[in-house]
């Protein structure tokens, strides 16, 4: 039961829901007459109908933009809050790492021993005895080099990946 686009003269405005889209189309009866050369409404009425259509479109667009803005705000606030928390905690952790690094020479045996033990345990659990021995030796060696400044930390990427030409 789709309404015809050509309407007979009536005084009421009818509403039709188009099944192809989610828009509600307003049909102004009486705009078209049987004679296509002669409109049944005067031009002022046609302009009024067009203005009402434009106002309706503007209101619909404003509602959609308002809903979009609300959805954006609902998403942005939690993300921004989480990002702020991560930033604060990272700053605290970074300061703690710098503080610990600056005091590394006060506890060299503990740092080297702890690094060796943790490297050996982690690799040993994953790779077995031989992997644990190798992991402990590597972790202990790196901790020793870091504690006693055996290499410049700024050169570590060049040592690992080779010098960039």
């Amino acid at each position: 039961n789709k309404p015809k686009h050509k309407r007979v003269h009536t005084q009421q405005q009818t509403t039709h829901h188009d099944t192809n889209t989610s828009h509600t189309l307003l049909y102004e009866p009486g705009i078209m007459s049987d004679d296509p050369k002669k409109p049944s409404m005067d031009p002022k009425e046609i302009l009024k109908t067009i203005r009402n259509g434009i106002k309706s479109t503007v209101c619909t667009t404003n509602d959609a933009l308002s809903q979009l803005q609300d959805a954006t705000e609902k998403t942005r606030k939690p993300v921004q809050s989480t990002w702020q928390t991560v930033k604060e905690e990272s700053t605290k952790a970074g300061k703690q790492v710098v503080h610990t690094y600056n005091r590394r020479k006060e506890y060299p045996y503990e740092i080297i021993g702890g690094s060796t033990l943790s490297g050996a345990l982690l690799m040993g659990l994953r790779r077995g005895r031989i992997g644990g021995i190798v992991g402990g030796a590597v972790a202990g060696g790196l901790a020793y080099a870091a504690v006693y400044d055996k290499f410049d930390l700024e050169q570590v990427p060049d040592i690992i990946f080779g010098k960039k030409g």
Side-chain angles (χ1 to χ4, degrees):
N1 292 341
K2 288 189 176 182
K4 296 179 182 176
H5 292 284
K6 196 172 189 182
R7 295 283 183 169
V8 183
H9 302 287
T10 59
Q11 295 294 26
Q12 295 180 345
Q13 187 179 28
T14 57
T15 303
H16 165 65
H17 184 71
D18 188 358
T19 55
N20 295 331
T21 64
S22 61
H23 303 315
T24 301
L25 302 175
L26 296 176
Y27 292 98
E28 184 69 37
I31 291 177
M32 299 293 290
S33 69
D34 291 334
D35 184 9
K37 295 181 181 177
K38 180 175 101 176
S40 62
M41 291 180 71
D42 108 47
K44 290 182 182 179
E45 289 296 317
I46 293 173
L47 284 175
K48 184 177 177 184
T49 303
I50 291 172
R51 284 187 188 121
N52 288 339
I54 291 171
K55 286 179 186 177
S56 173
T57 303
V58 168
C59 288
T60 303
T61 303
N62 286 342
D63 289 343
L65 289 173
S66 174
Q67 290 174 0
L68 180 64
Q69 185 177 6
D70 289 343
T72 302
E73 286 296 316
K74 286 179 182 175
T75 304
R76 186 184 62 81
K77 285 182 181 179
V79 168
Q80 187 177 19
S81 173
T82 302
W83 177 251
Q84 187 66 27
T85 303
V86 166
K87 203 162 109 177
E88 289 171 1
E89 292 301 320
S90 297
T91 302
K92 288 179 189 176
K95 287 179 182 177
Q96 186 63 37
V97 165
V98 168
H99 178 71
T100 303
Y101 180 76
N102 289 334
R103 296 186 61 190
R104 71 191 184 283
K105 292 187 179 178
E106 294 177 21
Y107 305 99
Y109 304 117
E110 292 84 352
I111 293 172
I112 295 169
S115 298
T116 303
L117 182 61
S118 62
L121 285 174
L122 289 173
M123 289 300 290
L125 289 173
R126 280 189 66 94
R127 304 287 181 188
R129 266 187 254 157
I130 302 299
I133 292 169
V134 171
V138 169
L142 290 174
Y144 177 85
V147 167
Y148 292 112
D149 294 325
K150 294 299 177 185
F151 56 86
D152 186 14
L153 291 179
E154 292 177 1
Q155 294 177 353
V156 170
D158 292 337
I159 294 170
I160 294 173
F161 301 113
K163 286 207 177 232
K164 294 182 180 177

